[in-house]
Amino acid sequence: MKKKRLLLLSLVVTMGILLVGGGITAQAKTANKTVTFAQLTNKNTNRLAAIRQAAREQILKQTKAKSSKVAAVYKVKLPKHMTKKATLTANGLRMNLLANSFKVKQITIPYAQLQGKILNRYLPKANRTTHVKTNKMVALTFDDGPDPTLTPKLLKTLKKYKVHATFFEVGQSVSRYPKISRAVLAGGNELGNHSWNHPDFNTIGTARTVSQITRTNRAIFQATGTLPQYVRPPYGNITAAEGRAIEQPIIRWSVDSRDWSYLNTTKDINEVMKDTHGGDIVLMHDIHAQSVAAVPTIIKRLKAKGYKLVTVSQLLNYQALPGLQYFGAGDYRTAGK
């Protein structure tokens, strides 16, 4: 009887040790770790700007801010020095903030929002970027919407053929048709900033360019509850100073359909098919009936060639950074150059 009691006691003690040890191990894996931004970014200033971009989104979400606060979030002082520190936690990157109008002292940016922005080794495996073959990937993009009739028609086409695209929308149109902007995202597509009313940034100066972008970001946030990640400058024109000031990745293109000049469905199809190869970003417009009518044939012909139609984020493997402009997969340079 005594032997049985001793054996039982021994088993209980052993299980207790294992449980405690397991708890210690689990806790160790999720223990907070202090790191510098130099470590997180490998001293890359574009990556640090991407962290600031993610931080602004998180401040708005964490405070459940209204769209009227979008302009204010760009005035919050965020880290610009590599020696500053943050904390890796189980839920994301925790950052302390200086005094600000949101009255927020601390934010935690989910790791999912930092994919491609900080080095892989600081991310959970589920959020790390991996090598992507882009030789059979093409990103269709559409500018100048939303249009109350043509954009919904285009969304139906994309849904029918089970593909996604990226829409660069004009702020004043987003304000008029917010439901359509929401429908763009609801369909699994991306939505980017294409200025407020389509001026040439090269002619209006940095301050007015930033105002154009901020005003449109506010309209998109009001319509969808999210800030757009990307900016496409009208006519593709942007200066280096504007690129630095905007602090969002700039998306250009490698295939220009010039659909606005032809207004001819057959010619639109031929121009896109003639010039498009793997890794390309194709520029079209969802405000011209002829362009929207060309999309079903373009999709079918590209698919027949083995291409997968993806969003800009997918094509760029979620690694686009502020201060840089992207023309296609692996084709980028400093904004304004």
Side-chain angles (χ1 to χ4, degrees):
M1 188 70 176
K2 287 183 179 180
K3 288 183 178 180
K4 288 183 179 180
R5 286 179 179 175
L6 287 171
L7 180 59
L8 182 61
L9 181 61
S10 176
L11 286 171
V12 170
V13 170
T14 301
M15 288 179 66
I17 291 171
L18 287 172
L19 287 170
V20 172
I24 291 172
T25 302
Q27 187 177 5
K29 287 181 179 179
T30 58
N32 294 340
K33 179 181 179 181
T34 300
V35 290
T36 65
F37 287 104
Q39 290 174 301
L40 290 171
T41 66
N42 196 27
K43 298 182 180 180
N44 184 308
T45 56
N46 300 108
R47 287 185 182 274
L48 183 53
I51 295 174
R52 292 195 294 271
Q53 183 184 11
R56 295 184 187 105
E57 176 94 23
Q58 186 58 29
I59 290 170
L60 293 172
K61 287 184 177 180
Q62 191 166 310
T63 61
K64 299 179 180 179
K66 295 182 179 180
S67 60
S68 59
K69 296 288 288 182
V70 168
V73 82
Y74 290 94
K75 297 179 181 179
V76 176
K77 292 182 179 179
L78 296 169
K80 290 190 175 183
H81 299 288
M82 293 294 179
T83 55
K84 298 295 183 181
K85 297 178 180 180
T87 305
L88 298 168
T89 74
N91 299 316
L93 183 70
R94 190 171 67 212
M95 296 170 52
N96 293 324
L97 303 180
L98 297 173
N100 56 78
S101 62
F102 292 84
K103 298 180 180 179
V104 177
K105 294 182 179 180
Q106 192 177 82
I107 59 170
T108 299
I109 306 173
Y111 289 120
Q113 303 304 316
L114 294 169
Q115 182 181 14
K117 295 177 172 62
I118 65 176
L119 300 184
N120 265 348
R121 62 175 172 268
Y122 297 108
L123 290 167
K125 288 184 178 180
N127 303 119
R128 294 176 183 176
T129 56
T130 57
H131 178 69
V132 172
K133 293 182 179 180
T134 59
N135 61 320
K136 282 296 182 179
M137 295 171 66
V138 171
L140 296 180
T141 67
F142 299 92
D143 284 10
D144 294 354
D147 180 272
T149 302
L150 296 176
T151 304
K153 183 177 181 179
L154 176 57
L155 291 176
K156 288 181 180 178
T157 296
L158 297 176
K159 183 178 181 180
K160 176 181 177 180
Y161 291 100
K162 298 179 180 179
V163 300
H164 298 120
T166 303
F167 291 73
F168 291 95
E169 297 190 337
V170 176
Q172 61 182 7
S173 296
V174 175
S175 292
R176 292 193 190 107
Y177 312 112
K179 289 184 179 179
I180 300 176
S181 294
R182 288 195 289 273
V184 168
L185 293 183
N189 305 288
E190 285 186 321
L191 199 160
N193 185 319
H194 195 43
S195 82
W196 178 257
N197 59 359
H198 213 276
D200 184 341
F201 288 171
N202 281 356
T203 66
I204 65 175
T206 301
R208 290 176 65 187
T209 293
V210 170
S211 177
Q212 284 269 330
I213 297 303
T214 302
R215 192 176 180 186
T216 302
N217 281 349
R218 174 180 172 177
I220 292 174
F221 186 82
Q222 184 173 16
T224 68
T226 61
L227 288 176
Q229 182 176 1
Y230 306 124
V231 168
R232 172 171 280 168
Y235 315 106
N237 293 337
I238 190 166
T239 67
E242 290 164 349
R244 290 191 298 270
I246 288 171
E247 286 204 341
Q248 292 175 240
I250 306 300
I251 305 300
R252 299 284 294 278
W253 56 87
S254 50
V255 175
D256 186 353
S257 68
R258 293 186 59 82
D259 54 351
W260 57 271
S261 63
Y262 304 127
L263 298 179
N264 181 295
T265 297
T266 300
K267 195 163 181 62
D268 292 341
I269 295 168
N270 292 339
E271 287 300 313
V272 171
M273 295 308 303
K274 177 184 70 175
D275 296 329
T276 301
H277 301 90
D280 277 334
I281 297 175
V282 179
L283 168 62
M284 298 186 71
H285 297 79
D286 56 329
I287 59 169
H288 304 307
Q290 297 88 343
S291 305
V292 172
V295 173
T297 301
I298 289 172
I299 290 175
K300 286 186 285 188
R301 290 188 182 180
L302 287 174
K303 281 190 168 185
K305 288 189 172 186
Y307 290 116
K308 180 180 180 181
L309 302 177
V310 298
T311 63
V312 165
S313 287
Q314 290 171 315
L315 184 73
L316 301 181
N317 200 17
Y318 302 92
Q319 297 185 75
L321 300 174
L324 301 177
Q325 55 180 343
Y326 296 81
F327 296 80
D331 183 5
Y332 63 92
R333 66 202 73 160
T334 301
K337 295 184 179 179

